[in-house]
Structures are given as C-alpha cells and as structure tokens.
Amino acid sequence: MQVLVRDNNIDQALRVLKKKMQREGVFREMKARQAYEKPSEKRAREKAEAVRRTRKAARKQLQREGLLPAPKKKPLVERPPRQA
C-alpha cells in the first residue's frame, strides 16, 4: 500500500493511509488475528455476516423500487478549493 506525502503534510497522509487500510479490511483482519477463534464461532460469525449482507441488499432493492423510503442524505458541507 502506498500513500504520497504532499508538502510534508504527514497528518493528511496518515488520514489517507488509515482510510485505505479501513477499505481493504486490514483493521478487521488484525482484530480477528489477535486471539484464536473456534471453528464453531467462525461459522456463526460468517453466517451472521451473510445474513446482514442479504438483508442490506434486500433493503437497498426495496428502496430502489420505491417500497421503502430512501435514507436521509446528510447536508453537503462546502469546502474551500484546494491549492496545488
């Protein structure tokens, strides 16, 4: 994984790195490897995750069809333009 540091701005680079790691699932993987997980616990967790994914997909499908109200959108915050 690679992050470019612009103008010696380490804080921004760290923020970008953390976001990339979050997206890739690195933190979840580290947490899972901290302790041994019994095979029965692993099956239960994976089944619960599958149920969660299925319900989320069904909810999104119903929202697309107009049978459920869409989630409220957060107001857009205006940011000053970036300088190169």
Side-chain angles (χ1 to χ4, degrees):
M1 201 170 293
Q2 187 177 25
V3 176
L4 297 175
V5 179
R6 295 186 190 137
D7 301 328
N8 288 334
N9 193 344
I10 303 296
D11 294 328
Q12 181 188 15
L14 274 174
R15 225 175 303 127
V16 171
L17 177 65
K18 285 181 183 178
K19 194 175 232 180
K20 280 186 177 186
M21 291 173 71
Q22 180 76 33
R23 242 184 260 129
E24 292 290 322
V26 174
F27 293 122
R28 182 182 292 160
E29 182 78 19
M30 286 178 6
K31 185 178 178 185
R33 288 175 184 252
Q34 280 181 351
Y36 177 73
E37 185 177 26
K38 289 171 39 179
S40 60
E41 292 174 347
K42 183 178 180 181
R43 277 194 304 271
R45 178 182 50 79
E46 287 176 349
K47 186 173 183 178
E49 288 173 357
V51 167
R52 212 173 297 123
R53 277 194 310 273
T54 306
R55 285 186 180 157
K56 183 176 180 178
R59 187 171 57 245
K60 284 194 169 283
Q61 182 66 32
L62 289 174
Q63 287 173 351
R64 272 188 243 114
E65 293 173 358
L67 299 175
L68 278 179
K72 294 181 181 177
K73 294 188 177 184
K74 295 178 185 175
L76 187 65
V77 177
E78 288 288 328
R79 291 186 179 182
R82 287 185 5 184
Q83 296 177 1

